[in-house]
Amino acid sequence: QVHVVESGGGLVQPGGSLILSCEASGTIVRSNAVAWYRQVHGMRRAVVARIVSSGQTFYEDSMEGRFTISRDCAENKTFLQMNSLKPEDTAVYYCGAEIDDGVGYWQIFWGQGTQVTVSS
């Protein structure tokens, strides 16, 4: 079984910064991509940034230049550095990790989410 836990959310003023962390643990035979998503109440979950096993990164257009995704594969940890935060960045942020836990194919395991609130 695989567990994914996010941390690092909180309240920050506009223009401020936060670092979100995502840690996967359990039976991890191999891992592929990890992505950060966010969800505003009543709307569907949307991808923010994604990092694949080669280290290549992808960002949603409005985040590029402000957000940076990085990964420590040895520790099964992924980070999202968020700078120049705006009120519209307020959401619950989720980590989705593509992991093979021994079944022979990738599954996406989700954390419980961490709330980010950008407000003065």
Side-chain angles (χ1 to χ4, degrees):
Q1 193 169 4
V2 174
H3 297 281
V4 175
V5 178
E6 303 98 336
S7 60
L11 174 64
V12 63
Q13 292 188 341
S17 299
L18 280 176
I19 301 175
L20 304 184
S21 298
C22 168
E23 182 172 7
S25 61
T27 306
I28 301 173
V29 174
R30 52 184 182 142
S31 61
N32 191 30
V34 178
W36 284 96
Y37 297 76
R38 67 186 186 186
Q39 187 170 23
V40 176
H41 181 68
M43 301 184 69
R44 70 180 183 90
R45 197 171 296 185
V47 66
V48 171
R50 186 170 184 261
I51 185 166
V52 299
S53 55
S54 66
Q56 192 173 9
T57 57
F58 304 90
Y59 297 92
E60 197 279 334
D61 287 346
S62 67
M63 286 73 170
E64 188 142 23
R66 298 192 299 126
F67 292 8
T68 303
I69 188 170
S70 60
R71 188 173 181 180
D72 181 342
C73 294
E75 298 291 330
N76 288 311
K77 292 182 179 179
T78 305
F79 306 96
L80 185 67
Q81 171 76 51
M82 304 188 295
N83 299 326
S84 303
L85 283 162
K86 306 173 182 179
E88 51 265 42
D89 294 318
T90 295
V92 179
Y93 284 70
Y94 295 90
C95 176
E98 296 174 20
I99 291 171
D100 175 4
D101 62 351
V103 298
Y105 53 85
W106 305 116
Q107 300 178 82
I108 297 179
F109 292 89
W110 296 97
Q112 80 291 346
T114 185
Q115 175 70 47
V116 172
T117 302
V118 185
S119 175
S120 56

